[in-house]
Structure formats: structure tokens, C-alpha cells
Amino acid sequence: MQPQNISVVGLGKLGAPLAAVLAYKGYSVIGVDTNDQYVQLVNQGKAPVVETGLSELIQQSHSRLLATTDYQEAITQTEITFIIVPTPSTPEGGFSLKYVLTAIEQIGKALREKTTFHLVVLTSTVMPGATLNEVQPALEKFSGKRCGQDFGLCYNPEFIALGSVVRDMLNPDFILMGESDGRSGDLLTKLYQQVCDNQPKIARMNFVNAELTKLAVNTFVTTKISYANMLSQVCEHLPGSNVDTVTAALGLDSRIGSKYLKGGLGYGGPCFPRDNLAFVHLSRQ
């Protein structure tokens, strides 16, 4: 039977849209956040962060969306928990698990009281190796339960752009999923089959491959952006040349593709720069 009750830990720029999308699709959702103002706003039917379409979505699904600061309340009343908390960049370029592990401790303690199978889904971006070597052991320690037996764990990062988060969540290019076991992967697959408006391909694999894929996708996209910008600089010094003409033709090659291949501004945002630094840090290690 497909679970109908979901908790989302973290009601920030990604967590709030995810909670709203799940509620909009008919699930009963409990959001968890340490920020009292975020919790109050959600319970008032208002968006805690600014994002296109979020306010309307929360208003439409307000009856199925609640928020609390109490992990115990949220975990015991749901079957699936998404973790979308910040993973700040470290001075070396990696990702800090400080907030993830704080959430894991609270979730684990709540799981001690449960007798039914519970799926924990880590959506926050982490370094390759973190889910298996740090997140899973912490969850087993604080819950006193076995991963893959008493509870499931998936690493499931999002590929979204600020300003179109809701649209991207409803119509993803693909779903990336690192799974502890087949049962957990099946549960998350069925959830996305019901949530997504399109029918995205789902890439299921182990934790480390999924963690590496998340970094690889974003660093490859930024490579295309940077290459197009390099061509733009060349065209500025080459009489008669036009970067848009060149990149449009370049994108016709099926091995290359046209997406993100256009001369313009350098890349920015909350993910691209730091994912590149994280990949460099991983490579140096």
C-alpha cells in the first residue's frame, strides 16, 4: 500500500515547495522546521519563502499541509520523511553535515517509538560517501534499528532552478535515487510516479553513485556554459563571427545538445559554483 502521510524536514527554499507539491498532489504533509516564523506562516496558509507559484499552491492545499517544530509529532504520524536542510560549503570546498546530522538524531529518536517501516529520504546535497559512512550509521545509532530492515534510506537530490522550483519538481528531467534496499527504492519510485506530471526516467543506484552523479550533472552543465562563454570571447575578437550562430549549429550534434550552450553571463546560483568546488575537493582527496 502506498503511504499517504509524509513529513518534510526543512521548510526553506526547497523544502517548502516540496511540502506544498506533495500536499497539492493529495498527500497529508507535516513540515518540520526550527524557525517558528516559517512554521506559523505555513499553518496560516502562507508561503515562508518567495518562490514562483508557492503561495498559490499552499493556499490550494492548506487543509493537507501542517507545520511543527516537533520532530516526534511529525515522524510518528508519517511513513516517509524527506530531509531538505542546508549543507553549507566547508573552507575546503566540501559540504558540512552539521544540520543533516542534527536532523538525523531527532528523526532517529522518533523512529525508536515506531513499529512500522519508515522511509527516510535525504534530499540535501552531500559529498560522495557521506550517506553510507555517516548518515546511515547515525540513523541506526539513534533509532536502535537496522537500515534496510526496520527502516529504509534513500539519497534523492533535486535538480531545480530558483524561480521555477515548483515547475521543476512537477516536471523533472529525471529522478536520481540512491537506495539502501529495493523496498525503499520501490516506495520512492511509486511516490514520484504519482507526484510528477510528466513520466521522468528514474535512475536507481547505490548511495555513492547517486552522490557522485549529483555533482557530475551540475559540473558538466557548467562546463557547457563555460565553453559557450569562451566561444563568445573568441567571437568578440573575430570579425564577422557570431557566437549564437556557432552554438546553435554546435547544439545540433546529438553528442552535444543545445541546452545550456549559449554565450552569455557566467553561471551562478546556490548550486553550480559550490558543486564545482566540491568536485575539485573530492578529486584532490
Side-chain angles (χ1 to χ4, degrees), residues 21-277:
V21 164
L22 291 169
Y24 169 71
K25 286 294 185 173
Y27 293 91
S28 295
V29 181
I30 302 178
V32 186
D33 206 290
T34 56
N35 187 319
D36 287 322
Q37 184 180 8
Y38 281 11
V39 170
Q40 291 174 14
L41 285 170
V42 170
N43 286 332
Q44 293 168 6
K46 300 177 181 177
V49 295
V50 177
E51 180 58 45
T52 305
L54 180 59
S55 293
E56 294 81 357
L57 214 58
I58 289 179
Q59 290 170 10
Q60 290 178 41
S61 54
H62 182 46
S63 62
R64 293 185 296 275
L65 178 59
L66 299 173
T68 180
T69 57
D70 188 343
Y71 277 87
Q72 188 78 20
E73 175 188 355
I75 305 306
T76 55
Q77 295 183 36
T78 57
E79 294 92 43
I80 298 178
T81 300
F82 284 85
I83 303 172
I84 311 187
V85 297
T87 50
S89 296
T90 65
E92 299 78 23
F95 300 129
S96 169
L97 288 176
K98 174 184 176 182
Y99 299 112
V100 169
L101 293 177
T102 297
I104 287 294
E105 179 178 353
Q106 296 302 317
I107 293 168
K109 289 177 179 178
L111 287 180
R112 277 185 177 270
E113 311 303 319
K114 296 198 69 172
T115 57
T116 54
F117 188 84
H118 194 100
L119 176 60
V120 178
V121 183
L122 177 60
T123 299
S124 304
T125 301
V126 299
M127 294 297 290
T131 306
L132 180 63
N133 298 321
E134 297 184 69
V135 176
Q136 180 178 318
L139 202 49
E140 290 183 328
K141 172 187 174 183
F142 290 111
S143 68
K145 298 177 182 290
R146 290 289 303 276
C147 182
Q149 178 179 312
D150 306 307
F151 68 87
L153 179 62
C154 287
Y155 176 65
N156 173 226
E158 298 279 3
F159 295 95
I160 54 83
L162 294 182
S164 62
V165 175
V166 171
R167 184 189 68 195
D168 293 342
M169 286 182 171
L170 289 170
N171 299 277
D173 281 340
F174 78 108
I175 302 295
L176 177 61
M177 188 185 307
E179 57 190 48
S180 61
D181 59 284
R183 178 184 182 182
S184 299
D186 289 344
L187 278 173
L188 193 54
T189 295
K190 290 177 182 176
L191 175 67
Y192 277 115
Q193 287 172 341
Q194 294 186 18
V195 169
C196 297
D197 287 339
N198 60 348
Q199 295 181 321
K201 291 183 178 179
I202 299 178
R204 296 172 60 172
M205 56 196 75
N206 64 19
F207 293 142
V208 70
N209 281 330
E211 291 161 335
L212 183 56
T213 299
K214 172 59 166 66
L215 292 182
V217 167
N218 282 350
T219 53
F220 191 85
V221 168
T222 55
T223 298
K224 291 185 72 174
I225 294 171
S226 298
Y227 189 86
N229 287 344
M230 179 274 292
L231 282 175
S232 181
Q233 290 179 327
V234 170
C235 288
E236 288 175 3
H237 298 280
L238 197 60
S241 64
N242 184 295
V243 67
D244 290 337
T245 302
V246 175
T247 55
L250 192 59
L252 295 176
D253 191 312
S254 62
R255 297 169 299 173
I256 299 172
S258 60
K259 282 191 174 183
Y260 289 92
L261 196 66
K262 188 174 179 64
L265 296 174
Y267 61 82
C271 295
F272 283 167
R274 75 191 209 107
D275 280 9
N276 273 269
L277 292 173

